[in-house]
């Protein structure tokens, strides 16, 4: 029953995150992390976001395996796979939803932030920058939210080529919102993870995070 509940919560978090990414893509906005990088490349190449998102995360799976353990890595692979699946299905099920770029960045970033928090509270992540941030926090006591924001900003700068300067600047808003939400809810995330022994490493990392 515990694992069934865990999987259901993970699916919900992945769906929420996928919907946020769907809104960003509809507004031609990118975001940070491997999801943002996959979005940027999908605008330039005739390759779907789903395929790119899966391929880009492979090196981070390897990092997670050595630094975070088998259970966290498996959970992350499952989360990324679910986001990939939902991202493939949403354009088929839903009509295209396009907001004004700045509004789309705010709404999409907020929704992705909720999904990311749900996943962290459930002991998993979406790979990429989140795994790197956790590793740097564990090894060097770097602030996870700030590290994630720096990494995401670099990805946004790369994405300027695909979406243009104005939309690129709007995209930074989504990065800030997601990073702010992660930092704000860090104590809740740590408290939730503390009670789950199978994600103890993630809990210890977030507990020690400073604002």
């Amino acid at each position: 029953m515990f694992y069934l509940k865990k999987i259901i919560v993970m699916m919900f978090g992945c769906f929420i995150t996928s919907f946020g990414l769907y809104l960003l893509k509809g507004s031609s906005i990118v975001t940070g992390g491997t999801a943002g990088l996959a979005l940027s490349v999908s605008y330039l190449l005739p390759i779907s976001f789903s395929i790119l998102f899966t391929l880009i995360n492979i090196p981070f799976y390897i990092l997670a395996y050595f630094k975070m353990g088998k259970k966290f890595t498996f959970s992350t692979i499952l989360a990324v796979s679910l986001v990939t699946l939902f991202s493939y299905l949403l354009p088929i099920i839903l009509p295209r939803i396009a907001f004004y770029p700045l509004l789309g960045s705010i709404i999409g970033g907020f929704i992705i932030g909720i999904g990311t928090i749900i996943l962290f509270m459930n002991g998993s992540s979406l790979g990429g920058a989140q795994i790197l941030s956790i590793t740097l926090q564990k090894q060097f006591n770097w602030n996870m939210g700030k590290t994630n924001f720096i990494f995401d900003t670099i990805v946004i700068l790369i994405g300027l080529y695909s979406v243009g300067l104005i939309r690129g600047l709007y995209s930074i808003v989504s990065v800030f919102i997601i990073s702010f939400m992660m930092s704000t809810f860090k104590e809740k995330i740590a408290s939730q993870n503390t009670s789950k022994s199978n994600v103890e490493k993630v809990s210890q990392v977030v507990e020690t995070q400073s604002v």
Side-chain angles (χ1 to χ4, degrees), residues 90-185:
L90 282 176
I92 299 175
I93 300 173
L94 299 177
R96 183 174 182 270
I97 303 175
F99 292 104
Y100 179 77
L102 179 58
L103 181 60
S105 180
I106 294 172
I107 296 176
F110 179 75
I111 293 175
I112 292 173
I114 293 175
T116 301
I117 289 170
I118 292 173
L119 290 173
F120 263 111
M121 291 178 66
N122 201 50
S124 60
S125 76
L126 291 178
Q130 295 173 6
I131 291 176
L132 181 62
S133 297
I134 291 172
T135 301
L136 291 175
Q137 167 68 33
K138 182 179 179 181
Q139 295 292 326
F140 305 107
N141 198 34
W142 290 12
N143 181 280
M144 192 175 75
K146 293 179 180 178
T147 301
N148 198 70
F149 180 77
I150 293 172
F151 183 94
D152 289 350
T153 301
I154 293 173
V155 173
I156 291 293
L157 293 176
I158 297 173
L160 290 176
Y161 181 77
S162 62
V163 298
L165 178 60
I166 301 301
R167 290 179 186 271
L169 293 175
Y170 288 155
S171 298
I172 295 178
V173 175
S174 71
V175 173
F176 176 79
I177 291 173
I178 296 170
S179 298
F180 177 78
M181 292 177 69
M182 287 174 60
S183 296
T184 300
F185 284 88

Side-chain angles (χ1 to χ4, degrees), residues 54-87:
T54 300
L55 293 177
I56 291 172
N57 270 296
I58 291 177
F60 295 100
Y61 294 155
I62 299 173
L63 178 63
Y65 179 82
F66 287 106
K67 297 296 183 180
M68 305 306 298
K70 295 180 181 179
K71 292 181 179 180
F72 180 81
T73 303
F74 176 76
S75 181
T76 297
I77 292 175
L78 180 58
V80 171
S81 299
L82 287 171
V83 169
T84 300
L85 175 62
F86 289 136
S87 296

Side-chain angles (χ1 to χ4, degrees), residues 188-200:
K188 178 66 175 178
I189 295 170
S191 176
Q192 185 76 9
N193 282 334
T194 300
S195 64
K196 300 177 180 179
S197 59
N198 62 324
V199 288
E200 183 177 356

